[in-house]
Amino acid sequence: MLTHIRLHPINIIKPTKKKKTVTYPFRNSVQINLKCVCVRTCTAIFVRAGLIELYYIFATAWGREHYTLYGILLCVFAILLSVGACISVALTYFLLSGEDYRWWWRSVLSTGSTGIFIFVYSLFYYHNRSNMSGLVQSVEFFGYSLLTAFVFSLMLGTVSFWASLAFIRYIYRSLKMD
Protein backbone atom coordinates (compact mmCIF):
# COMPACT_ATOMS: atom_id res chain seq x y z
CA MET A 1 0.00 0.00 0.00
CA LEU A 2 1.39 3.31 -1.00
CA THR A 3 0.60 6.34 0.98
CA HIS A 4 0.82 9.73 -0.43
CA ILE A 5 2.63 12.45 1.45
CA ARG A 6 1.39 15.86 0.78
CA LEU A 7 4.19 18.29 0.18
CA HIS A 8 3.46 21.29 2.20
CA PRO A 9 6.02 24.00 3.03
CA ILE A 10 5.84 22.99 6.68
CA ASN A 11 6.75 19.34 5.87
CA ILE A 12 9.81 20.22 3.79
CA ILE A 13 12.99 20.26 5.81
CA LYS A 14 15.48 22.69 4.47
CA PRO A 15 19.10 21.80 4.81
CA THR A 16 20.95 24.24 7.02
CA LYS A 17 24.44 25.40 6.36
CA LYS A 18 26.89 24.32 8.98
CA LYS A 19 29.33 26.93 10.09
CA LYS A 20 32.94 26.05 9.91
CA THR A 21 34.45 26.07 13.34
CA VAL A 22 38.03 27.11 13.60
CA THR A 23 39.94 25.46 16.39
CA TYR A 24 42.98 27.07 17.86
CA PRO A 25 45.43 24.66 19.45
CA PHE A 26 46.63 27.17 22.07
CA ARG A 27 43.28 28.55 23.06
CA ASN A 28 42.37 27.18 26.46
CA SER A 29 45.16 24.89 27.49
CA VAL A 30 47.89 26.55 29.48
CA GLN A 31 49.76 23.30 30.12
CA ILE A 32 49.98 22.34 26.45
CA ASN A 33 50.88 25.92 25.61
CA LEU A 34 53.76 26.03 28.09
CA LYS A 35 55.02 22.56 27.13
CA CYS A 36 55.13 23.47 23.44
CA VAL A 37 56.90 26.74 24.10
CA CYS A 38 59.37 25.12 26.51
CA VAL A 39 60.20 22.50 23.89
CA ARG A 40 60.58 25.19 21.20
CA THR A 41 62.74 27.39 23.36
CA CYS A 42 64.93 24.56 24.59
CA THR A 43 65.30 23.25 21.05
CA ALA A 44 66.32 26.70 19.84
CA ILE A 45 68.91 26.92 22.59
CA PHE A 46 70.13 23.41 21.84
CA VAL A 47 70.52 24.17 18.13
CA ARG A 48 72.38 27.41 18.90
CA ALA A 49 75.15 25.55 20.71
CA GLY A 50 73.69 26.17 24.12
CA LEU A 51 74.61 22.75 25.41
CA ILE A 52 78.23 23.19 24.44
CA GLU A 53 78.37 26.60 26.10
CA LEU A 54 76.66 25.24 29.21
CA TYR A 55 79.21 22.46 29.40
CA TYR A 56 82.10 24.94 29.22
CA ILE A 57 80.48 27.23 31.77
CA PHE A 58 79.87 24.38 34.21
CA ALA A 59 83.37 23.02 33.63
CA THR A 60 84.80 26.47 34.35
CA ALA A 61 82.70 27.10 37.45
CA TRP A 62 82.93 23.62 38.98
CA GLY A 63 86.08 22.19 37.42
CA ARG A 64 89.63 23.31 36.88
CA GLU A 65 89.31 24.53 33.32
CA HIS A 66 89.67 28.11 32.17
CA TYR A 67 87.05 29.68 29.92
CA THR A 68 88.54 31.62 27.02
CA LEU A 69 85.67 32.01 24.53
CA TYR A 70 83.99 35.14 25.88
CA GLY A 71 83.13 36.48 22.42
CA ILE A 72 81.26 33.32 21.50
CA LEU A 73 79.50 33.37 24.86
CA LEU A 74 78.34 36.92 24.18
CA CYS A 75 77.06 35.90 20.72
CA VAL A 76 75.18 32.91 22.14
CA PHE A 77 73.70 35.14 24.85
CA ALA A 78 72.51 37.66 22.24
CA ILE A 79 71.00 34.83 20.17
CA LEU A 80 69.28 33.49 23.29
CA LEU A 81 67.69 36.86 24.03
CA SER A 82 66.57 37.45 20.44
CA VAL A 83 65.15 33.94 19.99
CA GLY A 84 63.34 34.24 23.31
CA ALA A 85 61.81 37.57 22.31
CA CYS A 86 60.72 36.20 18.91
CA ILE A 87 59.16 33.09 20.43
CA SER A 88 57.30 35.19 22.97
CA VAL A 89 55.94 37.52 20.28
CA ALA A 90 54.82 34.51 18.21
CA LEU A 91 53.10 32.97 21.23
CA THR A 92 51.36 36.25 22.02
CA TYR A 93 50.18 36.49 18.43
CA PHE A 94 48.76 32.94 18.59
CA LEU A 95 46.99 33.74 21.85
CA LEU A 96 45.48 36.92 20.48
CA SER A 97 44.43 35.14 17.29
CA GLY A 98 42.58 32.64 19.43
CA GLU A 99 40.86 35.52 21.24
CA ASP A 100 42.63 34.73 24.47
CA TYR A 101 43.77 37.98 25.99
CA ARG A 102 45.54 36.53 29.05
CA TRP A 103 49.00 36.93 27.59
CA TRP A 104 50.77 38.55 30.54
CA TRP A 105 52.02 35.59 32.54
CA ARG A 106 52.18 33.31 29.53
CA SER A 107 54.70 35.61 27.91
CA VAL A 108 56.82 35.51 31.06
CA LEU A 109 56.60 31.74 31.37
CA SER A 110 57.18 31.08 27.68
CA THR A 111 60.91 31.71 27.74
CA GLY A 112 61.24 31.79 31.49
CA SER A 113 60.80 28.04 31.38
CA THR A 114 64.34 27.86 30.00
CA GLY A 115 65.49 27.99 33.61
CA ILE A 116 64.02 24.50 34.00
CA PHE A 117 66.21 23.36 31.13
CA ILE A 118 69.30 24.84 32.79
CA PHE A 119 68.51 23.14 36.09
CA VAL A 120 67.89 19.80 34.36
CA TYR A 121 71.24 20.16 32.61
CA SER A 122 72.88 20.83 35.97
CA LEU A 123 71.42 17.53 37.22
CA PHE A 124 72.87 15.80 34.17
CA TYR A 125 76.24 17.48 34.70
CA TYR A 126 76.34 16.53 38.37
CA HIS A 127 75.58 12.85 37.77
CA ASN A 128 77.53 12.26 34.54
CA ARG A 129 80.35 14.78 34.23
CA SER A 130 81.47 15.84 37.69
CA ASN A 131 83.34 13.96 40.38
CA MET A 132 81.56 15.65 43.25
CA SER A 133 80.57 13.73 46.32
CA GLY A 134 79.52 14.64 49.81
CA LEU A 135 76.71 16.61 51.29
CA VAL A 136 78.36 20.03 51.34
CA GLN A 137 79.46 19.91 47.71
CA SER A 138 76.04 18.67 46.61
CA VAL A 139 74.16 21.34 48.54
CA GLU A 140 76.46 24.06 47.21
CA PHE A 141 76.23 22.81 43.62
CA PHE A 142 72.46 22.44 43.58
CA GLY A 143 71.95 25.69 45.49
CA TYR A 144 73.97 27.70 42.99
CA SER A 145 72.43 25.81 40.07
CA LEU A 146 68.93 26.52 41.33
CA LEU A 147 69.82 30.17 41.86
CA THR A 148 71.31 30.41 38.35
CA ALA A 149 68.24 28.76 36.82
CA PHE A 150 65.99 31.17 38.71
CA VAL A 151 68.00 34.20 37.56
CA PHE A 152 67.83 32.99 33.94
CA SER A 153 64.09 32.45 34.28
CA LEU A 154 63.58 35.97 35.57
CA MET A 155 65.89 37.50 32.98
CA LEU A 156 64.39 35.69 29.98
CA GLY A 157 60.86 36.14 31.32
CA THR A 158 61.45 39.88 31.60
CA VAL A 159 62.84 40.09 28.07
CA SER A 160 59.92 38.11 26.64
CA PHE A 161 57.37 40.17 28.58
CA TRP A 162 58.76 43.47 27.30
CA ALA A 163 58.97 42.10 23.75
CA SER A 164 55.32 40.99 23.93
CA LEU A 165 54.27 44.31 25.44
CA ALA A 166 56.04 46.21 22.66
CA PHE A 167 54.31 43.96 20.09
CA ILE A 168 50.89 44.51 21.69
CA ARG A 169 51.38 48.27 21.78
CA TYR A 170 52.51 48.25 18.16
CA ILE A 171 49.55 46.30 16.82
CA TYR A 172 46.97 48.18 18.89
CA ARG A 173 48.46 51.55 17.98
CA SER A 174 47.98 50.79 14.29
CA LEU A 175 44.26 49.91 14.70
CA LYS A 176 41.89 52.56 13.45
CA MET A 177 38.41 52.86 14.87
CA ASP A 178 35.77 54.26 12.58
Side-chain angles (χ1 to χ4, degrees):
M1 230 190 220
L2 294 173
T3 58
H4 291 35
I5 298 176
R6 292 177 36 192
L7 295 177
H8 193 270
I10 296 175
N11 295 338
I12 298 175
I13 299 174
K14 294 180 180 179
T16 58
K17 293 181 180 179
K18 291 187 178 182
K19 294 181 179 179
K20 291 183 179 180
T21 57
V22 179
T23 58
Y24 297 101
F26 296 117
R27 184 163 187 156
N28 292 323
S29 58
V30 176
Q31 292 84 13
I32 293 173
N33 185 2
L34 291 178
K35 287 177 186 175
C36 291
V37 170
C38 182
V39 167
R40 287 181 192 154
T41 307
C42 292
T43 304
I45 292 169
F46 181 74
V47 170
R48 307 268 191 297
L51 268 178
I52 296 170
E53 290 299 318
L54 276 177
Y55 169 74
Y56 284 126
I57 291 170
F58 274 93
T60 301
W62 301 104
R64 296 183 180 202
E65 296 182 20
H66 296 287
Y67 192 77
T68 58
L69 304 172
Y70 295 109
I72 294 175
L73 181 65
L74 182 65
C75 290
V76 170
F77 183 70
I79 290 171
L80 173 68
L81 292 180
S82 63
V83 167
C86 291
I87 287 175
S88 177
V89 166
L91 173 70
T92 304
Y93 175 75
F94 289 142
L95 288 174
L96 292 177
S97 294
E99 297 177 2
D100 188 3
Y101 300 102
R102 299 171 295 175
W103 62 270
W104 296 82
W105 283 106
R106 291 184 189 179
S107 68
V108 172
L109 295 175
S110 65
T111 56
S113 60
T114 307
I116 296 169
F117 172 75
I118 292 173
F119 188 72
V120 168
Y121 182 78
S122 71
L123 293 173
F124 169 77
Y125 183 84
Y126 180 79
H127 288 293
N128 294 335
R129 303 282 170 110
S130 71
N131 296 327
M132 292 185 211
S133 62
L135 181 66
V136 175
Q137 282 185 335
S138 299
V139 168
E140 183 181 6
F141 178 80
F142 288 119
Y144 280 121
S145 296
L146 188 64
L147 185 64
T148 303
F150 184 68
V151 166
F152 265 87
S153 293
L154 286 178
M155 178 186 57
L156 293 173
T158 302
V159 167
S160 65
F161 173 76
W162 285 108
S164 294
L165 184 64
F167 172 71
I168 293 288
R169 286 183 176 173
Y170 177 76
I171 62 171
Y172 282 122
R173 189 179 308 134
S174 63
L175 287 178
K176 294 185 180 180
M177 297 287 187
D178 290 334

